[in-house]
Amino acid sequence: MSVFSALICQTARAFIGPELSRDISGYRIVLRDFNWKGEDGVIFQVYKGPTKILERRAHSIFLFDVDKQGESYAVKDNASIKCADLTGDGAVDLIVQEWSGGAYGCYKYDIYSLAKNFKHIWHHDAVYGHLRLKFPAQRRAQLIVEDSTFCNFKSVGQGSGAKPSIYLTWRNGFAVERAATIAAAKTAAEHAAEGDSDIESTEGSRRFVDLIYSGQTSKALALLDGMRVEQRRDYLRSFFATFKKSPFYFEIIAFNEREVIAKMQKLVQ
């Protein structure tokens, strides 16, 4: 095939769709579908006046609406997107969700401040997790993200393991809100206790993880009492190898009893 013919074939497979444009807080937010060599995707752009200040491309991108939340992906055409001030600085912030196209998820979240000086303020690789928002009365907004680190730990189905909810509020960056995160994990652990009690099962392992995320380390370790020494060692070895991959590892470790965590780590040896 000649170079000219190859260029014609590439051009035939290339497509860029029309702009879907929204004006949000003085910025023009543009989404455009594209196809290149048979791969579909979305172009995301931000303009201030005539100047393009950001462009990203991904398999799928949508703007997060604070009212629709998880259903934001269903917003069509140029329908308005409601944003909120998540940091308390008086400017609204735009949440952007990216999806890789994977069958089981693979999500990324980014937040951009739409203040006078546009800036990127947060990124989170959620993998199989999702994000939602809460607006407590007379308090700053809460980001609630699912920590999917353990979603395949001892799970029967893909992504069916524990996904503890992590509460974040803005403190010169989004930081873990200890009390709310512990309370959510405690409720999840109590719910899991009503299911399969086998610690090696998906439900039992969910309970183990939720106990750790709620700071109930002694209760978590007690679940392993019926195991043989080598079983317990293998279980804890797998648990800690997974746990250290969590983006919230150090915050969650700080919730727990140091002596019990040290005992668990010793049992791994």
Side-chain angles (χ1 to χ4, degrees):
M1 181 183 292
S2 69
V3 173
F4 179 72
S5 297
L7 287 173
I8 290 176
C9 290
Q10 285 188 356
T11 303
R13 289 180 294 194
F15 167 80
I16 296 181
E19 283 190 5
L20 294 177
S21 178
R22 297 172 176 86
D23 291 322
I24 306 176
S25 195
Y27 293 87
R28 185 162 62 93
I29 313 299
V30 175
L31 294 174
R32 304 181 75 174
D33 292 330
F34 76 91
N35 179 286
W36 176 246
K37 296 182 179 179
E39 295 292 330
D40 292 322
V42 175
I43 302 170
F44 166 66
Q45 299 169 323
V46 179
Y47 288 84
K48 184 70 170 180
T51 304
K52 182 171 68 177
I53 56 179
L54 177 69
E55 177 171 308
R56 285 173 51 185
R57 298 186 179 215
H59 177 274
S60 182
I61 293 177
F62 67 78
L63 309 180
F64 196 88
D65 183 286
V66 299
D67 286 339
K68 296 179 177 59
Q69 303 237 10
E71 299 301 313
S72 296
Y73 68 89
V75 176
K76 301 299 183 184
D77 300 326
N78 292 345
S80 62
I81 294 289
K82 183 177 179 181
C83 299
D85 178 7
L86 305 176
T87 66
D89 66 354
V92 299
D93 304 296
L94 178 68
I95 303 176
V96 177
Q97 177 173 298
E98 177 182 323
W99 175 47
S100 69
Y104 295 99
C106 295
Y107 298 103
K108 295 178 182 179
Y109 289 92
D110 290 275
I111 300 181
Y112 300 92
S113 171
L114 300 184
K116 183 177 180 181
N117 295 317
F118 177 88
K119 61 181 177 180
H120 179 257
I121 61 173
W122 187 70
H123 172 79
H124 177 59
D125 285 316
V127 192
Y128 301 126
H130 297 86
L131 175 147
R132 58 191 174 94
L133 300 175
K134 285 182 70 175
F135 296 91
Q138 300 179 340
R139 293 180 57 195
R140 285 185 184 170
Q142 293 175 320
L143 299 185
I144 305 161
V145 297
E146 294 174 324
D147 184 354
S148 63
T149 303
F150 289 96
C151 69
N152 290 318
F153 176 70
K154 304 292 182 180
S155 64
V156 176
Q158 181 75 19
S160 65
K163 288 191 281 189
S165 293
I166 307 296
Y167 284 67
L168 306 165
T169 54
W170 182 265
R171 294 195 295 271
N172 292 322
F174 286 106
V176 174
E177 192 174 314
R178 181 187 179 104
T181 300
I182 288 175
K186 187 175 182 180
T187 299
E190 290 169 354
H191 177 73
E194 300 170 2
D196 192 342
S197 60
D198 178 8
I199 187 62
E200 291 277 13
S201 70
T202 299
E203 196 68 24
S205 294
R206 277 200 208 116
R207 186 184 178 200
F208 183 86
V209 171
D210 286 324
L211 285 170
I212 296 294
Y213 275 62
S214 62
Q216 301 181 84
T217 333
S218 295
K219 286 186 177 181
L221 183 57
L223 294 178
L224 308 182
D225 285 348
M227 288 183 161
R228 296 194 303 273
V229 172
E230 61 273 17
Q231 285 180 308
R232 185 172 56 190
R233 182 182 63 242
D234 291 345
Y235 191 96
L236 288 172
R237 185 173 290 166
S238 178
F239 168 76
F240 279 111
T242 305
F243 191 18
K244 289 176 181 178
K245 297 175 184 177
S246 170
F248 309 107
Y249 171 76
F250 292 106
E251 290 88 343
I252 303 305
I253 279 286
F255 295 172
N256 286 277
E257 305 157 86
R258 291 184 180 180
E259 298 82 2
V260 183
I261 289 291
K263 184 178 180 179
M264 285 182 171
Q265 292 171 330
K266 188 175 182 180
L267 289 171
V268 170
Q269 300 170 0

